[in-house]
Amino acid sequence: MIGPAHRKAVQLDGMAFLKAGCFSRTPETSKEFGVKLGLERARCYNTYIQMAAAESARKDGIDFVIVVTPNDSHYEICKTFLEAGIHVVCDKPLVSDERQAKELVELASRKGLLFMVTYTYTGNVTFKYMRDLIRQGEIGVIRTVMAEYPQGWLYNETDDGNKQGLWRMDPAHSGRVNCLGDLGTHVENAVSMATGLKIRRLLAKMDVVVPGRKLDDNDQILVEYDNGATGMYWTSQFAIGCDNSLSLRIYGSGGTLLWSQEESEQLILIKEDGIPRIIKRGSLVIPDSAARYARMPKGHSEGWLEAMGNLYDSYISCIQAKKEGCFTPDMIDYPTAEDGLYGIQFIEACLKSQKNNSTWVEL
Amino acid sequence: MIGPAHRKAVQLDGMAFLKAGCFSRTPETSKEFGVKLGLERARCYNTYIQMAAAESARKDGIDFVIVVTPNDSHYEICKTFLEAGIHVVCDKPLVSDERQAKELVELASRKGLLFMVTYTYTGNVTFKYMRDLIRQGEIGVIRTVMAEYPQGWLYNETDDGNKQGLWRMDPAHSGRVNCLGDLGTHVENAVSMATGLKIRRLLAKMDVVVPGRKLDDNDQILVEYDNGATGMYWTSQFAIGCDNSLSLRIYGSGGTLLWSQEESEQLILIKEDGIPRIIKRGSLVIPDSAARYARMPKGHSEGWLEAMGNLYDSYISCIQAKKEGCFTPDMIDYPTAEDGLYGIQFIEACLKSQKNNSTWVEL
Amino acid sequence: MIGPAHRKAVQLDGMAFLKAGCFSRTPETSKEFGVKLGLERARCYNTYIQMAAAESARKDGIDFVIVVTPNDSHYEICKTFLEAGIHVVCDKPLVSDERQAKELVELASRKGLLFMVTYTYTGNVTFKYMRDLIRQGEIGVIRTVMAEYPQGWLYNETDDGNKQGLWRMDPAHSGRVNCLGDLGTHVENAVSMATGLKIRRLLAKMDVVVPGRKLDDNDQILVEYDNGATGMYWTSQFAIGCDNSLSLRIYGSGGTLLWSQEESEQLILIKEDGIPRIIKRGSLVIPDSAARYARMPKGHSEGWLEAMGNLYDSYISCIQAKKEGCFTPDMIDYPTAEDGLYGIQFIEACLKSQKNNSTWVEL
Amino acid sequence: MIGPAHRKAVQLDGMAFLKAGCFSRTPETSKEFGVKLGLERARCYNTYIQMAAAESARKDGIDFVIVVTPNDSHYEICKTFLEAGIHVVCDKPLVSDERQAKELVELASRKGLLFMVTYTYTGNVTFKYMRDLIRQGEIGVIRTVMAEYPQGWLYNETDDGNKQGLWRMDPAHSGRVNCLGDLGTHVENAVSMATGLKIRRLLAKMDVVVPGRKLDDNDQILVEYDNGATGMYWTSQFAIGCDNSLSLRIYGSGGTLLWSQEESEQLILIKEDGIPRIIKRGSLVIPDSAARYARMPKGHSEGWLEAMGNLYDSYISCIQAKKEGCFTPDMIDYPTAEDGLYGIQFIEACLKSQKNNSTWVEL
């Protein structure tokens, strides 16, 4: 699913075009696939190493690469392209451990390259609006955060030959975490980007619930933030009836914000009068900082694709600005390698707490 | 609020009538209030001790007493009436500590008296239906439970002279807990009565969040049940936009049940096909064990009063059966002193965990 | 259903008590039923004629009578009690034709008696709040009204021996209309009482849809009001999935109001910014003119019974004021005989339009 | 809005690419705009007449043209391209009168060309699923249809310089209808394509409500279908709070279907048990005839763009099949010129009824 989704999102606004690629470990498959996508045969590479070398050597070489391979290969591939001087977009979770993540952050910074980690949901117009309202103090001081991301597709122990499920459950491919890496990192990132809060300490209960599994499929986390606020995170892969139910409920001293990925065409704001206000994506009250990403008027739904497209919109604008020499860091409106690193530190802390019988771990 | 609510609920179906009472610590106030309610002056008592003595001596004395005084007086009053041989209904939380609760349970049992603790929400028709579906195995083995009870009315630090709020926040009246006693016990009881699961161990983070308070106003609890399932509980009193939002989400190996007190005219059942089915109170699919409590057809809303009335319906039927000599314990369809005791044990465990830096406590 | 419902509603706030009655056409049945309800045997009458005579002769005779017999008997019974000087409450639709209705209105007025027609749903706190907002001009000039009341319980042609359904479908008992009389009059009344608009003209399409029926089970009506605004009304008895779905959507030049009987714990107000505000029954923004009817705080649901109780609350207060000599007509906050008459005129106009191939009929 | 939206939708799945165009009545503007979109300068034409001639002469000429000009120019442009042997996609409403529509239908048919009218909303996966369920008899015989399409953006009499609003309200550009043409045709088409019912007769009340307007901004229509079922249609442009609220409620003898464009990620099916089942786009119960259009798994929202893309998906597949000689008419899964013609006949009938004081008009 994820490869075509990125291509459609990149092309949505015609800001960038696919020009080169490496699509398989089998050279001939890679070439044929690329040609079918409309690429020149010469720019369909056998390996990512060849690709990085050749494209960085070309005058019309690619501006950025998108890494959507299995998680355990992210580190090597990202590093190779960064060293070749090419901007990098990488799927989450960024890498397998904190050391690798720090290295990529440091490398991108040293090379002056832009690195985006595709936490898709932060691209929604309503998500950005929620973030803006919080920054402006619209709900006062944040007191508690309820965040969750349950799915239900892996409720069945036999998994019915569900290949992606089997892959995710295999420690050989997924490393030390399954559900926490796939869903938990989205929760952590969404809270972090929406609220600006940093985690002071957390405790985690990671469970392997469905019989026959080796990795966590249900995670519960208690959080304490740097401002003293509290949080609860929940992720699950066996919650029947939940499709892709990332949601945030943020309670402040002056109001509440409710945002749900599956209902991302709206944001609910409740002020001290206790009256929910349902603000639709496209409403005139949404400031330009969020509204400028919308393509369609109210009532003409945007969805997952547009959210991902919004990340690329900002990312490609930044690359363009770099080329034109007018880039400034405040232009960045997408999740960066630093956000990816923070996600890895979050995973490490949860694993440590889980190992220590769910006791507190400082971040 | 709570006194008149109980009276209306008792009288809703004409199964019992107010015949005697003690309504104030000031004798004259008590008398006047009782007379205004239509009582004989002679049966408006100065003290509960007088009342228990006089009523137990009368041939036409009351069948049961309802105790809706502040929490710290429950123990003495209940004990007095039980000793006088009168059945007792008591508001939750039952008493202040486990020892008192055990004593009342033991006393009622020894005297052969019926003791109801008014966990109102378990009286809803849809709540009983949820419980029945779980018992029948409709959602398979329970894997995880998400339960919460946020309110928002105490979000303001000054409380604007809110008297009930001030009373609840004062350790002199509320004892060692505030939010956990008022809301957390409802969460514990609702999960327990709906699922039949027992808590094996729990860990709690109890916070005093709004500045100037002395007792908890936000509680987060991780739970492990006797069958290995996990649970998360949340209660809060400053969640702006939440009125009285007790809700359960119960995820099993074969389906999911979603129940919300504020939407208690419906229950949502999701089977393995992932399709939510919205079952209305009054639907013909609801079996008689739950449906028999309904007074009105579908689309004619029942609410809080009817839920409370349903508790009294079962309780008074049991008393009637006792009188007629045909009572059997399986007729009990209301929360008992044992449930009240379990609520106190739950509070004790949370307090112990909180004291020990949120580590696990066995129940 | 309707008898016990009225009794519970009357007793809800302890403002009135059942003291006399005639409960059946069979004398012995009437007596036994009344005694079971706690009445003196002497005040359980064989006929309504006896009852009117005897009660008006008693010093402690009843203040008002409640008429919940089949529609075709309303006129004679109401007239009898009015002539005996007793206030009358009557179920809707008031009577069978306009002449009878006008006579009752005139008779009550001449005798100085209070006459309530129990359009239950106008008793909801949120309904009253909607009316108040419109009166204050909160949504500007009303431009169009969408009102409907579909039910689904009579979708089946065999009706499965559903007795109430058979009765309603029989012209011998229901007269010339079925669905329009049962549901359409509620729609007309709800719009009229909420908006204050009068119908200038209407056209109606009344259909007998389910095979084997003799009276309308689906009605569609186009309306033009005195201020030039337009309206659409729909009622049906075979709309599977609809329980008791009376709803109003009122669109003005400055805002919109959405009210639904099945969700009557809330009112939705949308101002020119297009943002729905969900206002809960119990919200502090609701003025005392509506809020004073509430018994329970927010989040503690009130339902059908409380709505009906609110009608009796105002009605009995007015009777009390009459007794105390302080009654003024602006105290009336319930539907009157005039409202009942207007409902009959509405039915007549619909029948006339239907007969004339759905052409316009002036009111 | 509409030009870019079509381009994005066409390119969504990479099945077709923009190769030529005429983008303005000013030659230079047209060329510059086309070049900016990546076209060859030679294929950016000054007039649509030039374009039709030149492209039909090229060996690599365009396969189909998309006509998204103001309504009053549709007829001439479509005719020109059809005569040049080029397949045509045209926005709705198709043309200004029935004669023109019939001519285009006949011309396309004679030339063997494919003609799509972009009733976008019929492209939704859930819409197609609804249609399939009805065809299979899942809700029995249809008895009544409630369909509406209110918007709120033109509630204000001054329109605040809203250019599109002014254009729509001007008879010189919009012809004889405004709201009915823009929204009413969508309602007619959605009902027609979902149910397969044909209108036997209708009556209409078309109103110019907001002061200062010359064309209808609120339309109410009563419908009788060929199977005897009834329908009610409503469209409005001043319904504050409504964004783009096309919805269908279809009541049959065996069930009900509820579909709403703004919630098009789900379809609600209610069978005789009265229990709403919320079926999500992506659910495994959706058959391939509808499911094959989905690009994303459940919980990853698709929206307006994907609905439009689905129309192009089927249309371009049919053109491809034509080229390969394997086309059969049952492959058509998009609205055709015949559907466009039917929409024009619907408008004509409404206008005639309105002129005759809302009396019945046969179709």
Side-chain angles (χ1 to χ4, degrees), chain C residues 92-93 119 121 147-151 168 177-192 199 202 206 216-221 223 232-237 244 246-248 339 342-347 350:
Chain C
K92 44 57 52 186
Y119 289 106
Y121 306 112
E148 63 185 45
Y149 192 167
Q151 294 184 336
R168 287 190 187 282
V177 293
N178 161 38
C179 184
L180 188 72
D182 190 28
L183 309 182
T185 49
H186 273 298
V187 173
E188 176 281 311
N189 179 259
V191 174
S192 172
I199 297 174
L202 60 75
M206 299 171 62
D216 64 301
D217 53 7
N218 194 75
D219 304 289
Q220 305 169 321
I221 299 153
V223 174
M232 282 182 108
Y233 298 172
W234 172 52
T235 65
S236 183
Q237 287 169 327
N244 198 34
L246 173 63
S247 76
L248 303 187
D339 295 308
Y342 198 68
I344 302 305
Q345 291 168 328
F346 170 77
I347 291 177
C350 289

Side-chain angles (χ1 to χ4, degrees), chain D residues 71 74 90-96 117 119 177 181-182 185 340 343-344 347:
Chain D
N71 301 341
H74 287 178
C90 183
D91 206 8
K92 45 60 48 188
L94 180 53
V95 289
S96 309
V117 181
Y119 289 107
V177 293
D182 190 28
T185 49
I344 302 303
I347 291 176

Side-chain angles (χ1 to χ4, degrees), chain A residues 143-146 148 150 154-157 201 203-205 207 209-211 218-224 228-234 236 238-243 249 251-256 270-276 357-360, chain B residues 143-146 148 150 154-157 201 203-205 207 209-211 218-224 228-234 236 238-243 249 251-256 270-276 357-360:
Chain A
R143 288 172 168 176
T144 197
V145 176
M146 300 296 292
E148 62 185 46
L154 292 172
Y155 75 90
N156 196 332
E157 17 198 308
R201 58 176 190 163
L203 69 79
K205 181 174 197 306
D207 285 292
V209 175
V210 177
N218 193 74
D219 303 290
Q220 305 170 319
I221 300 152
L222 299 190
V223 174
E224 202 169 280
T230 62
M232 281 183 108
Y233 298 170
W234 172 51
S236 183
F238 56 71
I240 291 175
C242 298
D243 295 327
R249 296 182 288 167
Y251 300 91
S253 58
T256 292
I270 311 174
K271 299 284 293 175
E272 285 161 306
D273 60 12
I275 298 174
N357 205 18
S358 307
T359 44
W360 291 108
Chain B
R143 289 173 167 174
T144 198
V145 175
M146 299 296 293
E148 62 185 44
L154 293 172
Y155 75 91
N156 197 332
E157 19 198 306
R201 58 175 189 163
L203 69 79
K205 181 174 198 304
D207 286 292
V209 174
V210 177
N218 194 74
D219 304 289
Q220 305 169 320
I221 300 152
L222 299 190
V223 173
E224 201 169 281
T230 62
M232 281 181 109
Y233 298 170
W234 172 51
S236 183
F238 58 70
I240 291 176
C242 297
D243 295 328
R249 296 181 288 168
Y251 300 90
S253 59
T256 292
I270 311 174
K271 299 284 293 177
E272 284 160 306
D273 59 13
I275 298 174
N357 204 18
S358 307
T359 45
W360 292 107

Side-chain angles (χ1 to χ4, degrees), chain C residues 143 148 155 240 249 256, chain D residues 143 148 155 240 249 256:
Chain C
R143 289 173 167 175
E148 63 185 45
Y155 75 91
I240 291 175
R249 297 180 287 167
T256 292
Chain D
R143 288 172 168 176
E148 63 184 45
Y155 75 91
I240 291 175
R249 296 181 288 167
T256 292

Side-chain angles (χ1 to χ4, degrees), chain A residues 201-203 222 224 353 356-362, chain B residues 202-206 349-361:
Chain A
R201 58 176 190 163
L202 60 76
L203 69 79
L222 299 190
E224 202 169 280
S353 175
N356 292 331
N357 205 18
S358 307
T359 44
W360 291 108
V361 171
E362 315 271 329
Chain B
L202 60 76
L203 69 79
K205 181 174 198 304
M206 300 170 62
C350 289
L351 282 166
K352 192 169 164 194
S353 175
Q354 165 66 9
K355 209 175 150 186
N356 293 329
N357 204 18
S358 307
T359 45
W360 292 107
V361 171

Side-chain angles (χ1 to χ4, degrees), chain B residues 24 27 45 65 132 137 199 222 235 261 286 303 307 319 322 325 331:
Chain B
S24 166
Y45 299 95
V65 68
D132 293 349
I199 296 173
L222 299 190
T235 64
Q261 192 276 127
I286 302 182
I319 290 179
K322 278 249 172 193
M331 294 172 65

Side-chain angles (χ1 to χ4, degrees), chain B residues 77-242:
Chain B
I77 302 176
C78 291
K79 194 175 155 192
T80 302
F81 281 94
L82 289 173
E83 283 173 343
I86 294 168
H87 301 293
V88 173
V89 173
C90 183
D91 205 9
K92 43 60 49 187
L94 181 52
V95 290
S96 309
D97 65 41
E98 192 177 349
R99 191 191 47 76
Q100 293 177 342
K102 280 186 168 161
E103 196 181 325
L104 293 183
V105 166
E106 194 273 333
L107 181 58
S109 163
R110 184 152 43 83
K111 291 271 192 174
L113 293 168
L114 297 173
F115 197 120
M116 174 162 83
V117 180
T118 48
Y119 289 107
T120 320
Y121 306 111
T122 63
N124 274 296
V125 170
T126 51
F127 186 93
K128 289 176 187 293
Y129 179 42
M130 169 171 58
R131 172 203 62 190
D132 293 349
L133 288 173
I134 291 170
R135 279 187 194 164
Q136 292 157 25
E138 191 73 21
I139 61 164
V141 177
I142 292 174
R143 289 173 167 174
T144 198
V145 175
M146 299 296 293
E148 62 185 44
Y149 194 166
Q151 293 183 337
W153 65 302
L154 293 172
Y155 75 91
N156 197 332
E157 19 198 306
T158 63
D159 283 331
D160 295 320
N162 187 321
K163 271 174 73 177
Q164 211 193 131
L166 288 176
W167 168 81
R168 286 190 187 283
M169 291 305 177
D170 182 356
H173 288 90
S174 284
R176 296 166 294 167
V177 291
N178 159 38
C179 183
L180 188 73
D182 189 28
L183 309 183
T185 48
H186 273 297
V187 173
E188 176 283 310
N189 180 258
V191 173
S192 173
M193 295 196 76
T195 67
L197 294 173
K198 292 286 164 199
I199 296 173
R200 181 191 290 161
R201 58 175 189 163
L202 60 76
L203 69 79
K205 181 174 198 304
M206 300 170 62
D207 286 292
V208 185
V209 174
V210 177
R213 294 206 172 133
K214 291 177 187 151
L215 291 173
D216 64 302
D217 52 8
N218 194 74
D219 304 289
Q220 305 169 320
I221 300 152
L222 299 190
V223 173
E224 201 169 281
Y225 301 102
D226 51 1
N227 79 340
T230 62
M232 281 181 109
Y233 298 170
W234 172 51
T235 64
S236 183
Q237 288 169 326
F238 58 70
I240 291 176
C242 297

Side-chain angles (χ1 to χ4, degrees), chain C residues 309-327:
Chain C
N310 294 343
L311 296 190
Y312 279 104
D313 181 328
S314 172
Y315 184 68
I316 298 170
S317 299
C318 288
I319 290 180
Q320 196 61 34
K322 279 246 172 197
K323 284 183 167 181
E324 297 168 4
C326 59
F327 171 77

